[in-house]
């Protein structure tokens, strides 16, 4: 009976296993091989050893792209998390209307990233954009979001909030699972809303907060579509793009514009190592801040 159940289980998960092996495991292993070659798609790969990795260590564009990406991650991930938590807390108090607002917040998540990139140029245009018009209405002279290198990444960070709805839904589900008895006990002890949020809500949903933090960190390191559409799209020569040169964009350029597939594979493995190290550090640090219900300390 146990062997029969095991065979049935493998049969049910076999589509995922096959898909993983063909579309994930094999490409990853193949890029490891390509990273050791000189390959331009047209000719056969030529083995060059660690030459691609030595080249990327001396490539100033790699350092620029890594720095831009790191700054974007540091700016966008905490902002995304705080806005998502704030909206989730509001929805948690919305009562019957929470269903409507939950859907309204999530719908922008369905917007194609290319459209978000175009929307960025329309909303953050320094002369005629809606954002600067709103700022001008209250007496604030808005910056040149799309041309001033200082404001390019803040503009991109603000556009990432367009898709904050997915995180809001996750955090709202976590908020709904916090036992009401804990809030009742906190009120009996004289705790106000802020103390209840800080000492009850945040610890009880810290697992969900950590999950959102991890997922958005990985996603931010791989940011590509919105920035590429806005600053590197076909025929785009109007806007300065060095400040928006993220690592994934430079990898894409090397692979599909210059056909340096071997070098692009080395870049991809460097990104994998960076994300893995950052994630490991986050898991290490999380042991001090993340609380799981029923966990023994």
């Amino acid at each position: 009976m146990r062997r029969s159940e095991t065979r049935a289980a493998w049969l049910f998960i076999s589509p995922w296993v096959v898909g993983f092996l063909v579309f994930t495991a094999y490409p990853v292993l193949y890029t490891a091989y390509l990273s050791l070659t000189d390959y331009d798609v047209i000719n056969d790969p030529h083995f060059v050893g660690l030459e691609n990795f030595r080249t990327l260590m001396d490539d100033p564009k790699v350092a620029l792209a890594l720095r831009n990406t790191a700054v974007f991650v540091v700016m966008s991930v905490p902002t995304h998390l705080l806005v998502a938590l704030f909206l989730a807390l509001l929805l948690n108090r919305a009562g019957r209307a929470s269903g409507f607002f939950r859907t309204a917040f999530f719908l922008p998540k369905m917007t194609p990233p290319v459209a978000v990139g175009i929307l960025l140029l329309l909303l953050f245009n320094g002369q005629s954009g809606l954002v600067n018009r709103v700022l001008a209405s209250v007496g604030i002279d808005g910056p040149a979001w799309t041309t001033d290198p200082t404001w390019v990444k803040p503009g991109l960070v603000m556009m990432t909030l367009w898709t904050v709805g997915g995180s809001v839904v996750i955090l709202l589900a976590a908020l709904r699972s916090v036992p009401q008895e804990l809030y009742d006990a906190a009120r009996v002890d004289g705790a106000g809303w802020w103390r209840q949020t800080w000492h009850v809500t945040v610890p009880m949903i810290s697992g969900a907060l950590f999950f959102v933090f991890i997922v958005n960190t990985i996603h931010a390191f791989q940011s590509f579509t919105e920035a590429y559409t806005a600053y590197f799209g076909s025929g785009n020569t109007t806007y300065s793009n060095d400040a928006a040169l993220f690592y994934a964009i430079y990898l894409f350029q090397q692979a599909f514009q210059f056909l340096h597939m071997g070098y692009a594979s080395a870049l991809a493995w460097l990104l994998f190592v960076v994300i893995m190290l950052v994630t490991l550090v986050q898991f290490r640090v999380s042991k001090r801040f993340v609380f799981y219900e029923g966990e023994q300390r």
Side-chain angles (χ1 to χ4, degrees):
M1 177 66 71
R2 187 169 298 174
R3 285 198 297 269
S4 176
E5 291 178 348
T6 302
R7 285 195 298 270
W10 277 107
L11 180 63
F12 278 112
I13 67 173
S14 60
W16 180 89
V17 172
V18 172
F20 173 79
L21 293 175
V22 174
F23 298 110
T24 301
Y26 173 72
V28 167
L29 295 176
Y30 191 59
T31 57
Y33 162 70
L34 288 181
S35 69
L36 304 176
T37 67
D38 180 14
Y39 180 46
D40 61 1
V41 181
I42 300 172
N43 302 300
D44 292 334
H46 172 66
F47 185 79
V48 295
L50 298 176
E51 184 62 32
N52 287 324
F53 292 95
R54 284 192 286 266
T55 300
L56 69 84
M57 296 299 292
D58 298 325
D59 189 346
K61 287 285 189 179
V62 172
L64 173 64
L66 278 175
R67 184 166 59 252
N68 286 339
T69 304
V71 171
F72 177 76
V73 170
V74 171
M75 294 173 65
S76 67
V77 175
T79 304
H80 183 105
L81 189 63
L82 289 174
V83 172
L85 178 59
F86 174 73
L87 294 177
L89 288 170
L90 289 180
L91 280 180
N92 197 39
R93 301 169 64 91
R96 294 182 179 180
S98 64
F100 167 78
F101 287 108
R102 184 169 63 243
T103 303
F105 287 150
F106 186 79
L107 280 178
K109 181 75 174 176
M110 310 302 292
T111 307
V114 173
V116 176
I118 297 173
L119 190 63
L120 183 148
L121 295 180
L122 295 175
L123 293 177
F124 289 88
N125 185 283
Q127 284 73 41
S128 58
L130 178 62
V131 173
N132 277 3
R133 287 185 179 181
V134 172
L135 293 176
S137 67
V138 294
I140 300 176
D141 186 16
W145 300 94
T146 56
T147 56
D148 186 346
T150 305
W151 289 98
V152 165
K153 283 186 277 293
L156 287 167
V157 169
M158 292 177 67
M159 284 307 300
T160 62
L161 300 179
W162 179 260
T163 57
V164 76
S167 299
V168 173
V169 172
I170 294 173
L171 295 180
L172 179 62
L175 289 171
R176 295 285 173 84
S177 66
V178 178
Q180 184 62 38
E181 295 81 3
L182 297 178
Y183 293 113
D184 295 337
R187 280 193 291 270
V188 169
D189 290 338
W193 178 85
W194 171 251
R195 286 186 175 274
Q196 291 179 42
T197 300
W198 184 251
H199 294 289
V200 177
T201 304
V202 172
M204 291 302 296
I205 67 168
S206 57
L209 288 170
F210 179 61
F211 171 78
V212 171
F213 188 74
I214 287 286
V215 170
N216 281 283
T217 300
I218 295 173
H219 181 265
F221 269 110
Q222 301 177 77
S223 293
F224 170 79
T225 309
E226 295 89 342
Y228 185 84
T229 302
Y231 295 98
F232 299 88
S234 178
N236 186 355
T237 59
T238 304
Y239 303 103
S240 172
N241 54 25
D242 275 354
L245 182 64
F246 293 154
Y247 194 88
I249 293 176
Y250 187 59
L251 192 158
F252 173 84
Q253 291 175 335
Q254 290 295 325
F256 298 104
Q257 291 185 10
F258 309 134
L259 297 182
H260 298 159
M261 286 292 180
Y263 187 52
S265 297
L267 290 171
W269 272 93
L270 176 60
L271 180 62
F272 169 76
V273 171
V274 169
I275 293 176
M276 181 179 66
L277 291 176
V278 171
T279 304
L280 288 175
V281 170
Q282 290 174 326
F283 270 97
R284 283 282 186 177
V285 175
S286 73
K287 293 180 180 179
R288 299 178 56 186
F289 300 102
V290 179
F291 167 78
Y292 298 100
E293 190 173 0
E295 182 182 42
Q296 297 295 326
R297 292 247 180 195

